[in-house]
Amino acid sequence: MTTRGGALHAPADVSASDRGRPPTRLPLVVYVLALGTFLMGTTEFVVAGLLPEIAGDVQVSVARAGLLITVFALGMIVGAPLMAMLTLRLPQRLTLILALGVFAAGHVIVALGSSFTLLLSARFLTALATGAFWAVANVVATRAAGPAASSRALGVVGAGAMLANVVGVPLGAFAGQLMGWRGPFWALAVLGAAAMALIARQVPHDTDGGQAISVRSELAALRSGRLWLTLAACATTTGGVLSTYTYISPLLTDRAHLAAGLVPLVLVGFGLGALGGFLVGGRLGDHRPHATTIAASAVTTVLLLAICLLSTHAAPTVVLIALLGLFGLGANPVLISLCVRFAGQAPTLGSALTVSAFNLGTAIGSWIAGLTLDSSLGATGPAVIGTVIAALTLIPTIAIACIQRRRSPA
């Protein structure tokens, strides 16, 4: 099956052994793209550590300043598929460079801006660029690594974003305390410009920009039932984990009676687990994609249930949260790889829709989880909601595996 740009992708129901032995090393371009997602992940969440300073400077409440995070998520949900369609006829290398250029410009606007409305607009613009970069980066990484190592490559690209939570966001918050909240945005703008040069040097010229690609042919990918099942799994697996993670601080302090000063260390443990999960999950997914997604969903559900039951005990809860990072997000690169394959002739649209699904699941799950804090469940509420949402992931993942088994030759 030939994708846009001439890259060959084997059907999803062909085993890794049939597609050839995976390469021992991934191409350098995969790691360059991971650097890009590191910047994207950092900018998405660095605002959380700077909200009081931003609110005081632009004279809004902290709650209103939180809209800078919300509007970014909305921009990612809308922007990924929208930008994938708008850049349909552009070479992927050019799309990546332009996206990073807009990314850098958006951060300059935030760093210079004094109006909260301007800051919101710049964050939305940056989110559009982020969605475009992420969608195309997934496809470029898949093409560069080849079908036998596609999930592994996507694990590395996604690990860049996970590393942002462990390194980029804490560094950004620390830099904001030293040089003011505008400092991290200047740094991200400079790093974005530097990444443009790396992308221009490392990403090969492609030939897909001149092809007659129609929006209609791209949208034909949306007829795939397997694509929609995989997107549902993207939404529920991330929604289940991050609805719990978003409100993990009150669970740790109110239920487990952990000192507030230790909470950041627990979050680092989750981040390290998630980083490892992306790398290990991507590697396993190249050999047994469906077993990986089903097992990850089942283990995640059990871990979240255990957090609900053991949340009054600090030590087990801390360990469970680290394991939640490892298993809860470990299937994501496999799900992205499946979406790219199931999208057929529209891999970039398939990749873009995973970005939307991940963010939509996070937004809805976190919203529902937040409502439970004022219920009788209290601080345990988000974990209860997360358990239910994570369990729902078993439905699409098992359905996909059954469909693939029926399609496989006897």
Side-chain angles (χ1 to χ4, degrees):
M1 182 166 63
T2 304
T3 68
R4 185 180 128 195
L8 293 176
H9 289 276
D13 50 341
V14 179
S15 66
S17 59
D18 295 331
R19 297 196 300 268
R21 188 175 181 179
T24 55
R25 290 185 179 181
L26 293 173
L28 178 60
V29 66
V30 174
Y31 297 96
V32 173
L33 294 169
L35 173 62
T37 58
F38 171 80
L39 297 179
M40 307 296 172
T42 299
T43 195
E44 184 170 6
F45 296 108
V46 73
V47 172
L50 304 171
L51 282 182
E53 292 82 1
I54 296 174
D57 194 11
V58 298
Q59 298 181 341
V60 297
S61 66
V62 173
R64 184 167 173 77
L67 291 175
L68 293 170
I69 299 174
T70 304
V71 77
F72 194 96
L74 291 175
M76 289 280 284
I77 293 170
V78 175
L82 176 63
M83 297 308 294
M85 300 306 293
L86 291 178
T87 61
L88 194 58
R89 302 196 180 195
L90 291 179
Q92 292 168 340
R93 177 173 175 271
L94 179 59
T95 300
L96 292 171
I97 294 172
L98 290 176
L100 283 168
V102 175
F103 175 90
H107 284 80
V108 170
I109 294 172
V110 172
L112 293 174
S114 57
S115 162
F116 186 65
T117 302
L118 180 62
L119 265 58
L120 285 176
S121 301
R123 287 286 289 174
F124 186 78
L125 178 67
T126 305
L128 294 179
T130 299
F133 181 93
W134 218 309
V136 176
N138 286 335
V139 178
V140 172
T142 301
R143 286 175 49 186
S150 60
S151 291
R152 183 176 155 206
L154 290 171
V156 171
V157 173
M162 296 303 101
L163 188 62
N165 287 318
V166 180
V167 178
V169 173
L171 279 180
F174 181 68
Q177 293 175 0
L178 290 179
M179 62 182 73
W181 69 266
R182 298 177 190 272
F185 289 93
W186 281 117
L188 285 166
V190 171
L191 291 172
M196 290 175 66
L198 275 176
I199 292 292
R201 183 178 180 86
Q202 296 297 332
V203 176
H205 290 274
D206 48 34
T207 59
D208 57 350
Q211 294 183 3
I213 305 170
S214 68
V215 173
R216 181 177 297 179
S217 65
E218 289 281 304
L219 293 178
L222 300 181
R223 299 173 186 169
S224 170
R226 292 178 297 169
L227 174 63
W228 286 106
L229 284 171
T230 311
L231 289 172
C234 290
T236 53
T237 187
T238 310
V241 173
L242 294 187
S243 61
T244 304
Y245 178 75
T246 301
Y247 300 101
I248 204 67
S249 182
L251 180 76
L252 291 170
T253 55
D254 297 348
R255 293 282 295 173
H257 303 294
L258 198 70
L262 296 178
V263 171
L265 295 179
V266 179
L267 301 184
V268 170
F270 175 89
L272 290 173
L275 175 61
F278 257 77
L279 296 174
V280 174
R283 186 177 289 272
L284 292 176
D286 284 321
H287 301 282
R288 297 187 177 276
H290 307 300
T292 301
T293 55
I294 293 171
S297 304
V299 174
T300 298
T301 303
V302 172
L303 288 172
L304 285 166
L305 180 60
I307 289 174
C308 294
L309 298 176
L310 300 175
S311 60
T312 55
H313 304 280
T317 301
V318 169
V319 173
L320 288 168
I321 290 171
L323 291 174
L324 182 64
L326 179 65
F327 288 96
L329 301 179
N332 285 14
V334 189
L335 293 171
I336 297 171
S337 178
L338 291 175
C339 279
V340 169
R341 294 177 188 172
F342 294 154
Q345 299 294 327
T348 304
L349 180 59
S351 172
L353 289 172
T354 65
V355 177
S356 296
F358 287 136
N359 282 275
L360 182 62
T362 301
I364 294 176
S366 299
W367 172 65
I368 297 173
L371 297 178
T372 65
L373 290 174
D374 294 326
S375 71
S376 59
L377 294 171
T380 313
V384 173
I385 296 299
T387 304
V388 174
I389 297 175
L392 292 175
T393 310
L394 289 168
I395 299 174
T397 52
I398 292 174
I400 295 166
C402 292
I403 292 172
Q404 292 303 109
R405 177 171 292 185
R406 289 200 300 267
R407 284 172 171 259
S408 298

